């Protein structure tokens, strides 16, 4: 049997972004067997306590060691950026956003008006827009750009779940669009729109949405500094 392994950010730097592990026909390995096979190559990776694991896009609960199915996809997920491409094994069309989509990833500039119009409704008297841009400094160091990468299928599912949860509030409509790829300092990386009947709910839900986006969605960012250095930002564990 075979297992496809995906890795992201600093884990991908240590192990490579993707590989296939082969197990004997008829074997029923557990997740721990994948860890054991990879540990010899990069022992420092598996000394970490902040890694999350996913099987076919679903997070594995801490302490669980599930059996793996033939052909499954195991992802090793370091902490996300905390305010902050899909891999070659299974190419997807370029991420996109449609006027009717309220949870999306894009590989180019974000259309703010398109995001706002996705939540527009005659019963909503207040719309709060959050526009996140790339800062040109971090801890006093000049920043040229950020590169955003994601576990695309899982990130889209997390964004859709987040939007559904936000819209469980009475008379709230929500939309979140995040950019992938390289984004220059000063350019827009994320747009969030919250519409509600009244401004109090729109501001409150918008704040909650941003905090959850930073903690729960598997999107990573790498800062490219003006001196040529580049560093992954890994802050919020997905575990």
């Amino acid at each position: 049997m075979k297992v496809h392994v995906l890795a992201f950010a600093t884990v991908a730097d240590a192990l490579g972004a993707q590989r296939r592990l082969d197990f004997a026909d008829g074997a029923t390995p557990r997740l721990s067997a994948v860890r054991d096979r990879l540990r010899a190559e990069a022992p420092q990776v598996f000394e970490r306590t902040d890694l999350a694991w996913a099987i076919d896009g679903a997070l594995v609960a801490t302490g669980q060691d599930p059996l793996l199915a033939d052909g499954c996809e195991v992802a090793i997920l370091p902490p996300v950026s905390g305010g902050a491409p899909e891999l070659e094994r299974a190419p997807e069309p370029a991420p996109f956003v449609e006027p009717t989509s309220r949870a999306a990833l894009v590989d180019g500039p974000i259309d703010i008006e398109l995001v706002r119009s996705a939540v527009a409704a005659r019963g909503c008297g207040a719309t709060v827009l959050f526009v996140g841009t790339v800062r040109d400094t971090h801890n006093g160091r000049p920043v040229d750009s950020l590169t955003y990468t994601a576990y695309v299928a899982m990130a889209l599912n997390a964004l859709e779940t987040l939007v559904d949860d936000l819209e469980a509030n009475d008379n709230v409509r929500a939309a979140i669009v995040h950019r992938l790829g390289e984004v220059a300092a000063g350019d827009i990386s994320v747009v969030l729109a919250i519409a509600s009947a009244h401004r109090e709910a729109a501001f409150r839900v918008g704040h909650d949405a941003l905090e959850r986006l930073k903690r729960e969605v598997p999107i990573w960012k790498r800062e490219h500094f003006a001196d040529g250095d580049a560093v992954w930002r890994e802050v919020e564990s997905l575990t």
Side-chain angles (χ1 to χ4, degrees):
M1 66 170 287
K2 60 183 180 295
V3 174
H4 300 284
V5 180
L6 310 181
F8 298 88
T10 53
V11 179
D13 289 346
L15 289 172
Q18 61 180 340
R19 67 177 60 203
R20 191 182 84 177
L21 297 182
D22 293 311
F23 294 88
D25 290 342
T28 53
R30 294 185 178 273
L31 180 61
S32 56
V34 172
R35 288 195 291 262
D36 292 343
R37 289 276 292 270
L38 298 174
R39 183 178 286 111
E41 297 181 37
Q44 72 282 3
V45 169
F46 298 97
E47 293 172 359
R48 298 174 60 167
T49 60
D50 59 359
L51 297 179
W53 295 76
I55 298 174
D56 292 331
L59 279 176
V60 175
T62 301
Q64 297 298 304
D65 190 20
L67 291 169
L68 302 178
D70 186 23
C72 72
E73 184 175 85
V74 172
I76 312 170
L77 310 174
V80 291
S81 60
E86 185 61 298
L87 304 171
E88 295 175 2
R89 186 189 67 78
E92 297 183 42
F96 65 95
V97 59
E98 296 176 344
T100 56
S101 177
R102 297 202 297 278
L105 302 169
V106 296
D107 60 355
I110 300 174
D111 186 331
I112 296 175
E113 176 55 25
L114 192 62
V115 182
R116 187 205 64 80
S117 66
V119 301
R122 294 180 65 180
C124 294
T127 300
V128 170
L129 278 172
F130 173 82
V131 178
T133 57
V134 175
R135 293 189 301 272
D136 65 358
T137 59
H138 178 69
N139 288 339
R141 299 178 65 187
V143 172
D144 285 341
S145 64
L146 300 180
T147 299
Y148 289 93
T149 62
Y151 185 3
V152 172
M154 188 175 177
L156 284 172
N157 184 65
L159 287 174
E160 291 165 359
T161 297
L162 177 53
V163 166
D164 287 344
D165 289 350
L166 299 174
E167 293 188 342
N169 294 273
D170 289 341
N171 300 315
V172 168
R173 292 170 60 83
I176 305 172
V177 179
H178 203 296
R179 187 168 172 182
L180 299 182
E182 186 168 357
V183 185
D187 286 352
I188 296 170
S189 59
V190 61
V191 175
L192 166 71
I194 301 292
S196 182
H198 303 287
R199 65 182 182 275
E200 291 87 354
F203 279 112
R204 173 178 52 80
V205 172
H207 177 271
D208 293 344
L210 285 169
E211 294 306 307
R212 288 187 58 184
L213 172 65
K214 293 187 295 182
R215 294 194 308 266
E216 300 176 10
V217 182
I219 297 174
W220 296 269
K221 69 181 179 184
R222 192 174 196 180
E223 290 180 311
H224 299 273
F225 294 98
D227 62 7
D229 191 19
V231 178
W232 288 105
R233 289 284 306 282
E234 295 178 354
V235 178
E236 296 280 354
S237 176
L238 289 166
T239 58

